[in-house]
Amino acid sequence: MRIAQLAPLAESVPPKLYGGTERVIAWLVDELVELGHDVTLFASGDSKTKGKLQPVWPRALRLGRRGTDPNAACALLIEAIAERAGDFDLIHSHVDWVPLPVLSRTGVPFLTTMHGRLDLPGLSDVIGAFPNAAFISISDNQRQPLPDANWIATIQHGLPKDLLRPSYERGSYLAFLGRLTADKGPEAAMRIARAARMPLRIAAKIPRAETAYFKNKLEPNIDGQKVQLVGEVDDAKKQSFLANAAGLLFPIDWPEPFGLVMIEAMACGTPVIAYRSGSVPEVVEHGVTGFIVDGEEQAIRAVDQLERLDRLVVRARFEERFAASRMAKEYEGRYRELLSRGLREGFEKGAAISRLAAGTASEPLR
């Protein structure tokens, strides 16, 4: 198949540092190429891929020139796919709602993977305007705010099996990896680690909009010993950061659509302690790959139970459930279904036109 993949432009594909969606897109494109497909990635010019790169903006917006209007970059992305839509059998969008008006008019089958939260005002109106647009969710829980959308599958993320190496030795600290925003739970992670008498290491970026939150709520508790901030990490540093941890703390306070860091930890053999929210019960197997808890007290008790979990089993369950090859094959199946449906609808439409034409031709001229 000739497949176009539309990526967000905030980060490169894959991202240099933080960035979950763009990382997943990179793995998906590479796996689809390995399956023999002709894949073109529409992304920032500093992206790297096994497919064909169609650069639509010179550099990822977050690490590029400050003050750049993201809407301008998005407009060029939409124009690029509008110009080339006819070159593809199918278009796969990862940029939410913005391209829908154009994609629905190209005549090319398309689907959209929703990577973010869907419990925001106004989204049901968009769904109503595009009832035939096909959507993929990354967890069943993610769908709940928009049950009337045309969901055709839930496809959980996957990452390459050889990307992160496991460690089967018990780690010496607790890890927190993610954005330093209140809904990700960094304050709770600090309290849990302190109560459990375990060091906490935080690998995270500080969003520009969250500088005040960091200064007021987090920085006073980062002493460099019991709580250390190591900053953003790339894939190489993430390997040692997660593999050497006794457990990953994931005390989220929002409906997390998936939580890529959970399966990254599992790939390293590191169990996860996560709050029961969003996709967590679909990702973590309680008592096998980690513990699902309701609040800080249960999380503190779970830290003491980490030794009971077999890190060999944690890694094995990752390989069974969350490999990128599995993800790509599931997407491939949905692509084929869409193409088959498009061909069938095209045949039926053509047959109807033929019948209409034949009936008109048989009538006498008046």
Side-chain angles (χ1 to χ4, degrees), residues 33 35 57 76 82 116 138 168 200 359 361:
V33 171
L35 289 172
W57 197 259
L76 290 182
I138 55 178
Y168 302 122
L200 176 67

Side-chain angles (χ1 to χ4, degrees), residues 20-21 24 92 94 112-118 135-143 151 153-158 254-260 279 282-283 322 326-327 331:
T21 297
V24 171
H92 185 173
H94 302 268
T112 301
T113 295
M114 303 307 300
H115 290 271
R117 66 189 302 170
L118 302 178
F135 295 100
I136 299 285
S137 53
I138 55 178
S139 67
D140 289 339
N141 180 270
Q142 183 193 29
R143 298 183 179 192
W151 300 109
T154 290
I155 300 181
Q156 295 179 325
H157 291 334
W254 75 297
E256 178 78 59
F258 185 79
L260 185 63
S279 64
E282 299 174 51
V283 178
F322 298 115
R326 183 272 309 159
M327 173 180 67
Y331 272 114

Side-chain angles (χ1 to χ4, degrees), residues 36 91 114-115 126 148 157 186 214 216 244 267 270 308 353 365-366:
I91 300 169
M114 303 307 300
H115 290 271
V126 180
D148 296 329
H157 291 334
F214 174 77
N216 297 328
N244 293 326
T270 302
R308 293 198 301 109
I353 293 173
L365 294 176
R366 294 184 175 87

